[in-house]
Amino acid sequence: GGIRPGAIETLPALVDAEAPRLMALQHAPGTAVAIVHDGKTVLLRAYGTGDVESATPVDAARTLFRVGSVTKPLTAAAVLRLVDEDRLDLHDDIRDYLPGFSLASTVTAHQLLTHTAGFDEKFAGGFALSPDHLQPLAAYLPRFAHQAVEPGRAYSYGSTNYAVAGWLLERLTGLAYEAAMATRLFTPLGMTATTARQPPE
């Protein structure tokens, strides 16, 4: 359903032509492409170099890539499991779950997941160059997450919403974010090559 006859058969040639072109355009040394249809992997391809210094080629099944903003839907899935378990109400004030988190207005988990919590987005101070400089979410976010707009008033895509959602996940599971994602999402889904740890194992 939804795929034109013959389309899957043309995928390898299309991807083989487009992947190197897009890599050159983005100055990407390597990439992996997986296309899944109807629960089955119909194409899995590797291109270029996975480690520039050692010239190791990309292995589509094993080379790790930084997940970036795909972290957001993965975090949402883990948070929504808490809703399914009746451990979180999407419309409760998150301050009920995160005591000591000082906010000017009520913010809900629903607003976090829909980018309507009103947080501003700051990049300065949001990244660490060394694992030694990483801070726990509970220590970092009370200083970093600030409301700029009344919650629910405007959509504003940003990582702060999901960092706070990750802290909520930590608080309600009693696990660090990385461990919560592994035990509650990645492992049950068989995602054995996925990690939220920084740096990866």
Side-chain angles (χ1 to χ4, degrees), residues 97-170:
Y97 301 100
L98 301 171
F101 189 27
S102 178
L103 295 172
S105 307
T106 296
V107 171
T108 67
H110 179 268
Q111 290 167 331
L112 293 173
L113 300 182
T114 58
H115 297 281
T116 58
F119 290 114
D120 61 355
E121 194 67 16
K122 294 180 186 172
F123 292 103
F127 298 91
L129 297 177
S130 160
D132 298 335
H133 297 147
L134 289 173
Q135 299 174 39
L137 292 173
Y140 175 72
L141 286 168
R143 296 189 325 270
F144 183 80
H146 301 288
Q147 291 175 289
V149 178
E150 182 184 336
R153 190 172 170 97
Y155 171 87
S156 180
Y157 178 86
S159 297
T160 304
N161 296 291
Y162 276 83
V164 175
W167 182 19
L168 199 56
L169 179 66
E170 286 187 339

Side-chain angles (χ1 to χ4, degrees), residues 33-153:
V33 178
I35 298 176
V36 178
H37 174 67
D38 246 359
K40 296 184 180 106
T41 303
V42 295
L43 181 129
L44 184 62
R45 288 275 208 273
Y47 303 91
T49 305
D51 184 328
V52 175
E53 290 178 9
S54 67
T56 305
V58 172
D59 177 336
R62 300 198 46 81
T63 302
L64 289 180
F65 289 90
R66 191 170 303 278
V67 69
S69 283
V70 175
T71 303
K72 293 177 178 74
L74 294 172
T75 300
V79 167
L80 290 172
R81 284 201 61 204
L82 294 169
V83 175
D84 288 344
E85 296 164 358
D86 291 325
R87 295 168 70 185
L88 172 67
D89 185 312
L90 284 174
H91 302 288
D92 283 349
D93 188 337
I94 62 169
R95 293 176 294 187
D96 295 341
Y97 301 100
L98 301 171
F101 189 27
S102 178
L103 295 172
S105 307
T106 296
V107 171
T108 67
H110 179 268
Q111 290 167 331
L112 293 173
L113 300 182
T114 58
H115 297 281
T116 58
F119 290 114
D120 61 355
E121 194 67 16
K122 294 180 186 172
F123 292 103
F127 298 91
L129 297 177
S130 160
D132 298 335
H133 297 147
L134 289 173
Q135 299 174 39
L137 292 173
Y140 175 72
L141 286 168
R143 296 189 325 270
F144 183 80
H146 301 288
Q147 291 175 289
V149 178
E150 182 184 336
R153 190 172 170 97

Side-chain angles (χ1 to χ4, degrees), residues 18-40:
E18 286 300 303
R21 183 185 74 78
L22 293 170
M23 285 169 51
L25 194 66
Q26 297 295 321
H27 307 289
T31 192
V33 178
I35 298 176
V36 178
H37 174 67
D38 246 359
K40 296 184 180 106

